[in-house]
Amino acid sequence: MKIDKKIIKELTEYLNEFNLTEIEYTDKDTKIKVSKSNLTSSNQAVSVASPTPISNPTKSKDASGTEVKSPIIGTAYLAAEPGAKKFAEVGKKIKKGETVMIVEAMKTMNHVPSTVDGTIKEICVEDGQPVEYGQTIIIVE
């Protein structure tokens, strides 16, 4: 399999331009994921794999519970499509790894998993609202 270096270069430029930590390109049978290393912003790794966005839970200062944060910049969606059942609703019990929201970035739908078992205490974003990297999207108790 031959990898088009031009695509990797373009994806790397998007990472820097939009201050992203990870971006994925899919074309037929090829998936290319480019992500920045956590060590320095100039180190970059390239892998061919499916996306696995992971949120890091932190304790909220204003509310009790665990915050699930957006792993990327994009648009948050509470359901897979308009009119469909929402992934997360206040009071719903969820398990670690269960999808709580989708964040769309560059026409790629990224499922955001819960980082803990618990009950959804608060949904911090509206359907279709833009979100930033690291922004709290739900709080789980």
Side-chain angles (χ1 to χ4, degrees):
M1 174 174 88
K2 184 173 180 172
I3 298 175
D4 187 351
K5 293 178 184 177
K6 181 180 174 185
I7 293 173
I8 295 172
K9 184 176 180 184
E10 285 182 39
L11 292 172
T12 302
E13 289 171 359
Y14 285 133
L15 279 177
N16 295 328
E17 181 179 346
F18 297 108
N19 198 24
L20 301 173
T21 56
E22 182 175 287
I23 190 169
E24 181 177 335
Y25 170 80
T26 305
D27 182 32
K28 295 181 184 173
D29 297 333
T30 304
K31 286 186 181 181
I32 299 173
K33 181 168 65 172
V34 179
S35 61
K36 288 185 180 181
S37 170
N38 290 336
L39 299 175
T40 66
S41 62
S42 63
N43 290 343
Q44 296 174 353
V46 177
S47 64
V48 178
S50 60
T52 54
I54 299 173
S55 302
N56 293 326
T58 59
K59 292 293 179 184
S60 171
K61 296 174 186 169
D62 300 348
S64 63
T66 302
E67 296 178 358
V68 176
K69 298 183 178 202
S70 177
I72 58 173
I73 297 170
T75 304
Y77 293 104
L78 302 178
E81 59 186 35
K85 184 179 176 186
K86 293 180 179 179
F87 294 113
E89 295 183 41
V90 175
K92 179 181 176 185
K93 291 187 185 277
I94 58 170
K95 295 186 179 197
K96 182 177 181 178
E98 186 177 335
T99 299
V100 294
M101 201 166 295
I102 292 177
V103 178
E104 182 262 333
M106 298 181 66
K107 305 212 186 245
T108 300
M109 299 299 178
N110 301 281
H111 290 254
V112 180
S114 173
T115 54
V116 293
D117 292 342
T119 303
I120 297 174
K121 180 177 180 179
E122 182 180 349
I123 299 173
C124 303
V125 296
E126 298 290 324
D127 192 43
Q129 175 183 336
V131 293
E132 296 290 327
Y133 169 78
Q135 178 179 343
T136 300
I137 54 176
I138 69 165
I139 297 176
V140 179
E141 246 182 355

